[in-house]
């Protein structure tokens, strides 16, 4: 599934979001402000997917979905910048990053904290492929509510296949585990290249085989 969707006209807003609003909301440091200035040209609140605009009921974890179009000054944007916007806006956000005639859909899995319902837990961001900004957009997925719509949009950005019984939180946890295991594999490979003692090399080979097996197991949905 692709993640570049055609949103209904009833959801369109096209409002400029001043960077200062983000700065104030997250109490941005000087370093973060400098990243916004050097990387971001403009932030547009493009669409609001809510019960009154899209005729889908809200859920406790997804009362609304916002679509932000962020025009960049280069093709690279710091995750700190996107996380700051996510922290400033108390709803799930789908980003459409634009640069030089290309668009990339990016989103984090964002859910209310179990410990404090007023706060949000934000995952690492999922990145779609860059594609022409005028590329055909897919119809929005059919969904019963905003929660299932949000899950389907995120699914289009997931680099792993999901299991039928796996919810989005579990899928994100598995993705985090895959990333951690990949880092472990790279660390073991680096140690193997530097190691000269035969017995230690043999131990590292065993550890590497085990880590690679775990990695392959994690990639397969159960």
């Amino acid at each position: 599934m692709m993640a570049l969707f055609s949103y209904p006209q009833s959801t369109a807003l096209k409002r400029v979001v001043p960077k200062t609003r983000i700065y104030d909301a997250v109490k941005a440091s000087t370093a973060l402000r400098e990243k916004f200035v050097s990387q971001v040209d403009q932030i547009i609140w493009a669409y609001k997917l809510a019960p009154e605009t899209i005729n889908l009921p809200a859920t406790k974890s997804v009362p609304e979905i916002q679509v932000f179009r962020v025009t960049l000054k280069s093709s690279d944007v710091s995750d700190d910048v996107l996380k700051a916007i996510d922290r400033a806006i108390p709803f799930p956000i789908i980003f459409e990053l634009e640069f030089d005639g290309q668009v990339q859909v990016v989103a984090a899995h964002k859910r209310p904290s179990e410990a404090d319902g007023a706060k949000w837990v934000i995952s690492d961001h999922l990145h779609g492929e860059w594609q022409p900004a005028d590329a055909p957009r897919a119809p929005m997925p059919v969904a019963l509510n905003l929660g299932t719509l949000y899950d389907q949009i995120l699914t289009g950005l997931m680099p792993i296949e999901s299991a039928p019984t796996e919810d989005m939180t579990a899928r994100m946890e598995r993705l985090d585990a895959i990333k951690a295991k990949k880092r472990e594999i790279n660390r073991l490979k680096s140690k193997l290249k530097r190691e000269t003692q035969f017995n230690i090399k043999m131990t590292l080979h065993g550890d590497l085989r085990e880590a690679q097996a775990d990695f392959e197991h994690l990639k397969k949905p159960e």
Side-chain angles (χ1 to χ4, degrees):
M1 183 194 302
M2 69 182 296
L4 187 63
F5 295 111
S6 177
Y7 298 104
Q9 187 59 36
S10 59
T11 68
L13 289 178
K14 299 180 181 177
R15 297 179 185 168
V16 175
V17 179
K19 296 177 190 178
T20 52
R21 178 181 173 185
I22 308 299
Y23 302 161
D24 294 343
V26 302
K27 297 179 173 59
S29 65
T30 300
L32 179 58
R33 290 173 184 242
E34 289 175 350
K35 287 180 180 179
F36 268 89
V37 170
S38 64
Q39 298 175 12
V40 175
D41 183 30
Q42 189 178 57
I43 304 169
I44 299 289
W45 185 4
Y47 302 98
K48 174 183 176 179
L49 312 182
E52 66 271 20
T53 67
I54 203 173
N55 200 28
L56 284 178
T59 64
K60 184 177 179 180
S61 59
V62 187
E64 296 180 5
I65 304 169
Q66 315 304 341
V67 181
F68 276 27
R69 186 168 295 136
V70 182
T71 307
L72 302 177
K73 295 181 179 179
S74 74
S75 58
D76 292 325
V77 60
S78 169
D79 198 57
D80 292 341
V81 167
L82 298 182
K83 280 213 168 174
I85 301 173
D86 262 318
R87 285 165 47 213
I89 307 299
F91 297 104
I93 300 175
I94 308 301
F95 292 101
E96 293 186 359
L97 308 182
E98 292 191 349
F99 174 70
D100 195 27
Q102 299 284 304
V103 62
Q104 181 188 45
V105 180
V106 176
H109 179 225
K110 192 171 173 181
R111 58 181 175 82
S113 168
E114 295 179 2
D116 183 350
K119 296 182 179 179
W120 291 78
V121 178
I122 304 169
S123 75
D124 291 340
H125 284 87
L126 303 167
H127 294 253
E129 298 292 330
W130 283 100
Q131 52 190 306
D134 59 356
R137 288 173 174 255
M140 277 204 322
V142 176
L144 297 176
N145 54 53
L146 289 171
T148 55
L149 175 62
Y150 183 49
D151 282 357
Q152 290 187 75
I153 294 174
L154 290 179
T155 296
L157 298 171
M158 293 290 289
I160 57 174
E161 186 179 348
S162 61
T165 59
E166 189 177 43
D167 64 18
M168 184 56 66
T169 299
R171 205 179 312 168
M172 292 301 302
E173 288 173 350
R174 182 161 63 93
L175 182 58
D176 288 342
I178 289 171
K179 291 177 180 177
K181 191 60 65 173
K182 183 64 175 177
R183 289 193 296 270
E184 180 185 352
I185 288 170
N186 291 336
R187 178 178 57 81
L188 288 169
K189 287 180 176 178
S190 296
K191 288 181 72 173
L192 261 172
K193 287 182 179 179
R194 297 192 306 268
E195 187 55 58
T196 57
Q197 294 188 42
F198 177 76
N199 59 331
I200 297 179
K201 285 176 74 77
M202 292 302 293
T203 300
L204 288 172
H205 272 296
D207 292 344
L208 180 58
R209 282 195 299 271
E210 183 177 338
Q212 287 172 330
D214 290 343
F215 179 74
E216 293 301 323
H217 177 73
L218 284 167
K219 287 199 302 182
K220 296 176 182 176
E222 296 181 352

